[in-house]
Amino acid sequence: MGVHEPTRFLAPAFPPRSVRTIVLSFIGTCFFFSFYRLSVLPDPGYYPHYIYDHIANYFEPGVYNNTLYQNGTEAAVHPHWNFSQPCQGFPSTEDVMVVMKTGATESFDKMPTQLLTSLQCIPDFLLFSDLEQQIGKYHIYNVLDRVEDILSSDRAEFLLYQAQQDCPISQKECTTGMPGGWDLDKYKFLNMVLRTWEMRPSMKWYVFVEADTYVVWANLIEWLNTKMDATDDVYVGGIAFLNNLPFAHGGTGYAISGVLLERLAEHVKQIPAKVLNEMAMHTCCGDALLADVIDKLNVSVLRASPMFNGEKPNTLPFSPRDWCQPLFTLHHMNSEEISGVWQYEQTRTKADPLQIRDVYHAFVGPNLVPRRPQWNNLAEQRCFETPEDGRGVVEKHAHESAEACARVCLAEGLAVDAEAYEKLRTDDERDWYLQQRYRRQSSTERGASVARDRSCFSWRYRDGKCCTSDSFRLGYPVSAKKEDDATSGWFVDGINRWIEEHGQCDEGTEWVTPVCVGKWCPDEMEKQRKQMEMNEQAKEEMLKKFGLELAKPNDGEGGDEDEGLR
């Protein structure tokens, strides 16, 4: 017999226990981090946006580099812009009639951009002017073509109107330099009301804007549909005053409910055309005239500022008062600015209502620097022209130079030793002194408190006068308006710290409740009633001193006699 080989037991096909432990631990760790990553993923639209932003522009037509995407705006807008579907997500204007007013002297400068941006997404709207014109497929109606005797006067506005009608070539070549455009505009408002109701009756809302007004339609439509009552007599906008008469400013835009516009149109229809002309001729502004006529219907204007806003991005004030509110309108917008804000709406990274602060982050914040020469940033809340104008040692020197003016905001909330400060003779020494104290204070609770409650954000120095402001605007070069030279600046670190401490809008969008302004407001009417009661009481007390009393109407026979003294 051969020698038997010992029986061999095959080792199991598993690694040693120590190796298995390591492998299982690794696999478990991978699973843990995978689930953790899933729990902290961005919103579901993140990856589609990521793919779109990084590769879609190479394959899709109509996708371009977003010119708003630059240093400082990376969080505000996407780097690429696909405008092949510009009206996707645009709100329904089914119950809203949009009415835009322009003039023959400006229509071809301003209207094409409006028609290429938001108006392309509105299926029905009316365009009114002082001359019948056509821009592509869009018709502009002459709202003055039924006005009697408009050509029978030698007033400048009527001479301009005549020149427009007679011009056989482009309006610019016929009417450039002619006066009267502003005055001609005021005749349009009441006639526009009549034509609007005649052409588009029975809508819930009518929104009136001008050719240099930008409208954030998503915000305005949501507000009208969810926070306003179209069955009430509503006349709402951003207000101005003329001889104590509050009125909705036309360029800022305003909304009128359908029930009120119907009443208004019927009322205006009863006014003879000659009287309408006289009314317009003797007022400064058509929007004020409109408010005066609405006042005859016992309706006062509702103020909804700063949502209806008369500024544009570079003049819009940003502050704790104007930050978290939604924007409805911007005014005095040129075509480039209208196109820019439309582009921002199309490419912004946020989906919630566009707020005032969003305009800051997209158009203003990236352009703020400590100092800009030959620039007006509109800082003019507190001004220092003499040492007596200042409260502290830094403010007492503010009028001396632009450098001294800039130190006012830096010194806010700091404990400055006046004697030590006066011993410092150069700008560099004084800057260093204040900056050291600012840095030390910034890390303390006191510094956080100053940041939250800051009231000096910007400054402007001009002709020995230093002005500061508790808001911050971008402004414009002095050459743009042929102004005297000025140097402007912003306390950028103070602005950024205020935004970190207070500017996140943690409570969401602040939809402003409109405030009634005028004699027909409930509060004002109650005030007038109480005043009348007080006057009557005062009369009675005075008469009692002489043993007299006011006669009361008799019940029954003789009750219609005039009141008098007994």
Side-chain angles (χ1 to χ4, degrees):
M1 292 180 60
V3 178
H4 289 283
E5 294 184 2
T7 304
R8 294 183 178 180
F9 294 95
L10 296 176
F14 295 104
R17 179 172 297 176
S18 59
V19 176
R20 278 183 287 161
T21 301
I22 294 172
V23 172
L24 290 174
S25 298
F26 176 76
I27 294 173
T29 302
C30 290
F31 271 107
F32 171 78
F33 278 107
S34 297
F35 283 113
Y36 172 76
R37 290 287 296 169
L38 285 172
S39 69
V40 296
L41 276 178
D43 62 86
Y46 172 80
Y47 286 112
H49 272 304
Y50 181 88
I51 295 171
Y52 163 75
D53 287 342
H54 289 79
I55 66 172
N57 57 308
Y58 296 106
F59 301 102
E60 293 184 19
V63 179
Y64 298 94
N65 288 332
N66 184 4
T67 54
L68 297 179
Y69 187 84
Q70 55 185 300
N71 185 30
T73 66
E74 298 91 343
V77 294
H78 294 294
H80 301 107
W81 180 19
N82 183 346
F83 72 100
S84 60
Q85 294 181 308
C87 301
Q88 187 174 13
F90 197 86
S92 170
T93 56
E94 180 182 3
D95 297 322
V96 179
M97 177 49 51
V98 178
V99 183
M100 183 169 287
K101 177 174 66 65
T102 185
T105 59
E106 66 175 18
S107 56
F108 277 86
D109 290 332
K110 297 180 178 180
M111 287 308 305
T113 305
Q114 293 280 9
L115 296 168
L116 286 169
T117 54
S118 59
L119 286 185
Q120 68 177 310
C121 302
I122 299 176
D124 189 23
F125 52 85
L126 292 172
L127 305 177
F128 289 123
S129 181
D130 42 35
L131 179 70
E132 191 166 14
Q133 293 177 302
Q134 191 78 22
I135 299 179
K137 65 178 182 179
Y138 302 101
H139 193 72
I140 302 176
Y141 296 92
N142 179 4
V143 76
L144 301 180
D145 61 356
R146 300 179 189 173
V147 177
E148 297 178 8
D149 302 324
I150 195 170
L151 303 179
S152 62
S153 171
D154 59 358
R155 292 175 63 92
E157 62 264 34
F158 296 150
L159 295 177
L160 172 63
Y161 183 81
Q162 179 71 71
Q164 290 175 175
Q165 310 305 311
D166 295 342
C167 180
I169 53 178
S170 73
Q171 288 295 316
K172 278 187 175 295
E173 295 181 78
C174 288
T175 60
T176 296
M178 288 189 67
W182 172 268
D183 288 324
L184 186 60
D185 186 73
K186 62 189 179 183
Y187 294 84
K188 301 173 190 173
F189 283 80
L190 294 179
N191 289 289
M192 189 166 60
V193 165
L194 286 173
R195 296 291 286 275
T196 296
W197 186 257
E198 174 187 310
M199 298 172 70
R200 301 292 191 277
S202 305
M203 303 291 287
K204 282 187 178 180
W205 293 104
Y206 294 82
V207 176
F208 294 85
V209 293
E210 300 191 356
D212 62 349
T213 307
Y214 185 88
V215 183
V216 183
W217 289 107
N219 287 356
L220 180 56
I221 296 299
E222 178 180 350
W223 184 71
L224 290 175
N225 287 340
T226 63
K227 301 184 183 299
M228 300 299 290
D229 188 350
T231 63
D232 289 340
D233 287 332
V234 177
Y235 166 47
V236 61
I239 70 169
F241 286 86
L242 177 66
N243 299 328
N244 296 321
L245 172 70
F247 63 93
H249 181 243
T252 303
Y254 53 93
I256 298 179
S257 60
V259 292
L260 176 58
L261 193 76
E262 181 177 16
R263 291 180 59 208
L264 180 60
E266 288 299 320
H267 179 75
V268 173
K269 194 183 298 183
Q270 305 306 316
I271 303 175
K274 186 175 181 180
V275 176
L276 283 179
N277 282 357
E278 289 290 328
M279 292 167 64
M281 194 176 297
H282 294 98
T283 188
C284 82
C285 320
D287 40 12
L289 175 60
L290 174 64
D292 190 39
V293 175
I294 292 177
D295 185 74
K296 302 296 191 296
L297 302 177
N298 300 349
V299 176
S300 289
V301 64
L302 299 176
R303 177 175 57 203
S305 303
M307 300 186 300
F308 285 97
N309 207 294
E311 302 295 338
K312 58 182 181 176
N314 65 304
T315 62
L316 187 64
F318 303 96
S319 73
R321 299 180 301 275
D322 303 280
W323 190 253
C324 296
Q325 300 91 342
L327 263 180
F328 295 165
T329 60
L330 295 163
H331 186 218
H332 297 302
M333 301 279 282
N334 61 40
S335 290
E336 183 178 352
E337 291 163 336
I338 287 174
S339 180
V341 179
W342 169 254
Q343 182 177 341
Y344 170 63
E345 279 207 88
Q346 293 279 298
T347 61
R348 61 192 294 252
T349 55
K350 295 167 59 178
D352 53 350
L354 192 154
Q355 299 169 320
I356 292 175
R357 64 169 178 156
D358 295 322
V359 176
Y360 169 80
H361 289 303
F363 296 99
V364 176
N367 297 303
L368 292 191
V369 292
R371 177 171 173 162
R372 279 188 187 273
Q374 300 177 330
W375 196 269
N376 183 1
N377 67 359
L378 303 168
E380 50 194 20
Q381 184 195 18
R382 290 187 64 210
C383 293
F384 312 95
E385 293 185 86
T386 66
E388 290 72 26
D389 294 332
R391 289 196 290 258
V393 64
V394 176
E395 292 181 358
K396 290 181 184 298
H397 290 277
H399 66 286
E400 295 174 354
S401 66
E403 291 76 16
C405 186
R407 287 192 281 270
V408 174
C409 289
L410 174 60
E412 182 182 5
L414 298 181
V416 179
D417 186 320
E419 184 177 353
Y421 187 83
E422 292 286 9
K423 291 180 180 179
L424 304 172
R425 295 302 179 187
T426 68
D427 288 325
D428 288 342
E429 289 175 340
R430 290 180 173 180
D431 285 342
W432 183 87
Y433 175 88
L434 294 175
Q435 287 167 1
Q436 293 301 309
R437 277 151 183 76
Y438 176 77
R439 290 192 187 98
R440 285 198 294 268
Q441 181 173 278
S442 295
S443 59
T444 66
E445 180 57 35
R446 166 69 177 165
S449 175
V450 171
R452 285 192 299 270
D453 301 328
R454 174 164 291 281
S455 61
C456 186
F457 291 105
S458 58
W459 57 271
R460 183 190 65 199
Y461 186 79
R462 171 184 281 164
D463 296 331
K465 183 178 181 180
C466 170
C467 293
T468 64
S469 179
D470 64 352
S471 64
F472 39 102
R473 314 184 196 205
L474 183 55
Y476 49 83
V478 293
S479 60
K481 298 189 178 182
K482 299 180 180 179
E483 297 178 348
D484 293 337
D485 192 21
T487 299
S488 293
W490 299 263
F491 187 36
V492 179
D493 189 73
I495 292 172
N496 291 338
R497 290 205 66 200
W498 176 81
I499 293 173
E500 291 173 5
E501 294 284 345
H502 197 68
Q504 303 306 314
C505 299
D506 294 332
E507 297 182 3
T509 303
E510 296 179 8
W511 298 92
V512 176
T513 301
V515 177
C516 185
V517 182
K519 64 184 180 183
W520 302 112
C521 303
D523 290 346
E524 187 64 27
M525 293 178 68
E526 178 65 16
K527 181 179 175 182
Q528 292 176 12
R529 185 189 66 79
K530 289 182 178 180
Q531 185 63 48
M532 290 176 63
E533 289 179 354
M534 291 174 61
N535 291 342
E536 288 296 318
Q537 185 177 359
K539 286 181 183 178
E540 291 179 1
E541 291 176 355
M542 182 178 293
L543 291 172
K544 284 179 181 179
K545 291 181 180 180
F546 298 96
L548 301 172
E549 63 179 8
L550 286 174
K552 305 294 183 183
N554 294 325
D555 293 333
E557 188 176 347
D560 58 348
E561 294 179 1
D562 292 339
E563 289 189 16
L565 297 178
R566 290 180 179 174

